[in-house]
Amino acid sequence: MFVRIVKLSFHTKHIEEFLLMFKEKKAFIRASKGCNLLELYQDKTNPEIFFTYSYWEQEEDLENYRNSALFKDVWAKTKVFFNDKPLAWSVDKKVSLQ
């Protein structure tokens, strides 16, 4: 399993639209094959910055999602809200304490 972290930066005027769209699509994204967890975070000091964390079984699962009609629809609607280039990382979790 690995974690995909994506940093998204939005124009303030589009934040509510993004949140509504995410609310509508989050269950479908989470139901994608191989997706075990989906989280959305908002920066405490800059409300225009968001992060998604998604946990995937295999890289192939993430690639299948990224090539899906769902992703293409979500991405097409999301990218018009950006005020900066999105950044993404795929990382392996090394330690988790609860």
Side-chain angles (χ1 to χ4, degrees), residues 1-62:
M1 181 171 17
F2 70 99
V3 182
R4 181 70 167 183
I5 303 167
V6 181
K7 179 184 177 188
L8 309 165
S9 186
F10 298 106
H11 292 282
T12 300
K13 66 183 179 181
H14 294 303
I15 290 174
E16 287 305 313
E17 288 175 87
F18 166 72
L19 290 172
L20 285 171
M21 190 267 312
F22 190 85
K23 183 178 179 180
E24 292 173 3
K25 303 293 185 178
K26 65 184 178 185
F28 297 106
I29 297 168
R30 172 57 183 86
S32 297
K33 181 183 181 298
C35 183
N36 296 323
L37 179 76
L38 176 64
E39 299 175 317
L40 177 67
Y41 298 93
Q42 186 175 23
D43 189 87
K44 291 183 82 56
T45 58
N46 183 346
E48 293 181 339
I49 297 175
F50 289 79
F51 296 88
T52 60
Y53 280 59
S54 53
Y55 287 54
W56 297 89
E57 285 293 324
Q58 301 175 47
E59 289 186 36
E60 180 181 7
D61 295 325
L62 173 60

